[in-house]
Amino acid sequence: MSHSPTDNAGAAVGTVKSYALGFAASVVLTLLSFGLVMGGALPRLPLILALFALAVIQLFVQLRFFLHVDRSSAMYWNLMALLFTFFLMFLFIGGSIWIMYGLHERM
Amino acid sequence: MTTAQTAHLPGAPGHEAHGGPGGHDMGEIQAFGFWIYLMSDLIVFSALFATYVVMAHNYAGGPTPKDLFELPAVLVETMLLLTSSAAYGLAMVAMHKGDLRSVRLGLVAAFALGLGFLVMELAEFQHFIGIGAGPDRSGFLSAFFTLVGTHGLHVTFGLLWIVVMLAQLSSKGLTAPVKGRLTRLGMFWHFLDIVWIGVFTVVYLLGVVQ
């Protein structure tokens, strides 16, 4: 057998290089997020957008390099379940914000 | 691999984590099942994030995030959890090489860093409660303690699980079931670090920015 039993399981094999790359990218993204807020150089709206963008990029970095989610056939159902969960989160969080802020405006 | 190659039915009893190349062996099925659990846990966190975002400005005359949050401490916490997640990754690489010593080393490092994160979080909670900013002070603080506390509780169980796996490594060694459990624990541990990205961005950074 050329590979170990967990090779194409829900969390596939990473290499030292892939973990180091994911770690370095995450450290840089985290420092950027904190640096932007603690430095206070950006105005409010661009700052908020930048923070969301950095968080989303780091989310994908960690999914790719730590949890090895990619478009390979072994990860197909993991990816589908994840995308469906993102859709539910969008409804959940987006819907709550929409309804509660709408209510707030009318009160 | 034994001659059982011909009998690797999906999920067949007695074939835990054994299967032919390309077959859906037990370890694979268990890892996918665990992934589904993680997705449902993500829904739990979504509900808590939604609640937090709705409650974030309900201070009831009490302290605001700007008064409370110490960003340098949160940055240290974040780095501890991130490094712990990466250390676990190195333990996984060692596991696939069959290097028991390095697996232990990685797990101990992941545990120590994760414990550091938890101790800092508990110190923060204790400080807030001590200055009268406990979960009963305002809607904002109720939602804050519930969201951050639920994440902390997950980390606590992750730490317990690491201890259990260190014990199993000593008593059983790197057997197929132990490898499967280490894989699932790794998924759990990386998942908690991903949820923390949302916490430090939405709660701490956006809280201070307002």
Side-chain angles (χ1 to χ4, degrees), chain B residues 13-162:
Chain B
H15 289 271
E16 190 174 23
H18 281 267
H24 292 272
D25 58 58
M26 203 55 189
E28 208 176 317
I29 291 167
Q30 286 172 329
F32 183 67
F34 195 76
W35 181 261
I36 298 298
Y37 152 69
L38 290 181
M39 295 302 102
S40 69
D41 223 12
L42 208 48
I43 301 292
V44 170
F45 279 109
S46 303
L48 296 176
F49 269 108
T51 309
Y52 179 82
V53 171
V54 167
M55 301 289 261
H57 301 286
N58 298 2
Y59 306 128
T64 66
K66 251 186 191 142
D67 305 327
L68 291 173
F69 296 157
E70 301 282 352
L71 288 189
V74 180
L75 179 59
V76 174
E77 267 184 77
T78 304
M79 287 302 169
L80 282 173
L81 198 62
L82 176 61
T83 313
S84 177
S85 191
Y88 198 100
L90 295 183
M92 289 304 288
V93 175
M95 182 188 91
H96 287 285
K97 284 186 191 148
D99 181 356
L100 183 60
R101 221 183 85 88
S102 301
V103 176
R104 274 216 188 91
L105 205 67
L107 286 184
V108 169
F111 178 86
L113 292 160
L115 189 66
F117 168 86
L118 197 66
V119 167
M120 284 190 76
E121 182 162 278
L122 288 175
E124 184 193 36
F125 282 6
Q126 198 185 16
H127 171 66
F128 286 178
I129 292 168
I131 59 169
D136 54 345
R137 180 63 189 84
S138 64
F140 150 63
L141 282 163
S142 300
F144 167 82
F145 274 92
T146 310
L147 172 59
V148 182
T150 303
H151 179 269
L153 203 59
H154 277 76
V155 173
T156 309
F157 278 100
L159 290 174
L160 272 175
W161 195 357
I162 293 179

Side-chain angles (χ1 to χ4, degrees), chain B residues 180-192:
Chain B
R181 284 169 208 142
L182 282 172
T183 302
R184 295 190 287 281
L185 172 55
M187 292 160 72
F188 186 66
W189 205 239
H190 296 315
F191 167 79
L192 289 182

